[in-house]
Amino acid sequence: MPKSDHTTPPVVSGGRGMSAIVYDTDLSFSVQRLRHFLLTRISHLLPLSDETEKEEIAQQSLVRLHVFRPTSPLQLATSLKNLPLYHASHMPNDEIGVIAIDSMSTFYWGERFSAEQMRNVAPEKARNMSEPAFIPPLYHVLNAIQSVRLSHGPVVVLTNWALGQANTASRFGMPYKQHLHPFPTLDVVDLGAKAAKNTDHISLASPFHLMHNISLSSPPPAPFLPDTPLDNALRQEAQYRKEAVEKGQVFCLVRSSRTRDTSRFTFYITNEDIVIQQSGSHSNRIQP
């Protein structure tokens, strides 16, 4: 959102006035939905503004949004590598505040198939961890992200699928098995040997660490009673899914680099807004 609008005197909107770059690899990002949330947020921030003013502020925000939809990891890496050129030619007066990639896991199965083919072609070389048979495209993506981080300093948000639970639970490591390699992890250098054991051993290291890891989960369904008939179980599951969608509740566990502390919060996605409830505190809407 803009820091202020163009009225006289200007109305403070509460935003940062920066641009956002979204890589929608899952093809699920809705600009219309974002616009709806923006108008709701603006109504809370500026309750005395009329509809025309709210629409104008929303439009000022949306012109700073740039959405790309790459169809392969190499296309994603190339787009990121050329982002400084795009910035200079298409948005020279705007600062890039956020780069979001949703999701880093989109191309996983196709890339895994390609990697297995490479192992079949050169099995001995592929088994040598010190000399990988080929450099995975994800490595190029991470290097491109690091280059933009160093040159433009944006906040980078990466989403990732959690495909399986970790064998060893630890608050220092990730609560899920990491299927992407290489992938950035939390910086646990100063947390001792126990933390180091929970990091994945990979032949190519990520060029940067995560600052925070936020694990999202939905409320678990109630367990079925013993001898529950199949028809009843299906109805219960359908009811659970319906209630989960209507309530829009998501649990969040936050881990950060170089600390043993964790925190939790819950947010609710409604038709009109996104509301955060901090553990042990009152509900607050997401701050811009």
Side-chain angles (χ1 to χ4, degrees), residues 194-212:
K194 182 178 179 181
K197 290 180 181 178
N198 292 315
T199 59
D200 292 315
H201 174 72
I202 53 178
S203 55
L204 292 173
S206 169
F208 59 91
H209 287 289
L210 298 177
M211 181 63 69
H212 305 286

Side-chain angles (χ1 to χ4, degrees), residues 1-143:
M1 290 177 61
K3 295 180 180 179
S4 60
D5 63 15
H6 298 305
T7 59
T8 305
V11 176
V12 176
S13 305
R16 300 177 64 193
M18 297 181 180
S19 292
I21 309 294
V22 175
Y23 287 95
D24 180 25
T25 62
D26 272 351
L27 305 180
S28 60
F29 183 79
S30 172
V31 176
Q32 183 177 3
R33 180 75 163 156
L34 175 62
R35 177 182 175 276
H36 183 76
F37 280 145
L38 273 173
L39 289 172
T40 301
R41 184 72 48 78
I42 293 167
S43 296
H44 291 307
L45 292 171
L46 307 172
L48 300 181
S49 299
D50 58 33
E51 293 304 316
T52 301
E53 291 175 330
K54 295 174 184 176
E55 288 282 354
E56 182 179 350
I57 295 174
Q59 184 61 28
Q60 292 175 30
S61 301
L62 290 175
V63 296
R64 292 185 171 90
L65 173 67
H66 303 259
V67 181
F68 299 91
R69 293 186 169 93
T71 58
S72 71
L74 288 179
Q75 194 176 97
L76 173 60
T78 302
S79 180
L80 285 163
K81 199 69 176 177
N82 287 280
L83 190 57
L85 180 61
Y86 177 87
H87 177 246
S89 58
H90 290 80
M91 41 189 288
N93 298 321
D94 290 339
E95 182 178 351
I96 300 177
V98 176
I99 296 176
I101 303 178
D102 181 33
S103 158
M104 294 289 286
S105 300
T106 299
F107 311 114
Y108 168 67
W109 293 111
E111 291 307 309
R112 178 174 174 177
F113 176 73
S114 299
E116 290 175 352
Q117 285 185 315
M118 291 296 296
R119 292 191 187 98
N120 292 333
V121 172
E124 295 301 326
K125 188 175 181 181
R127 292 193 189 100
N128 188 343
M129 297 300 292
S130 63
E131 296 183 10
F134 75 107
I135 298 177
L138 179 59
Y139 186 70
H140 298 299
V141 172
L142 296 177
N143 274 309

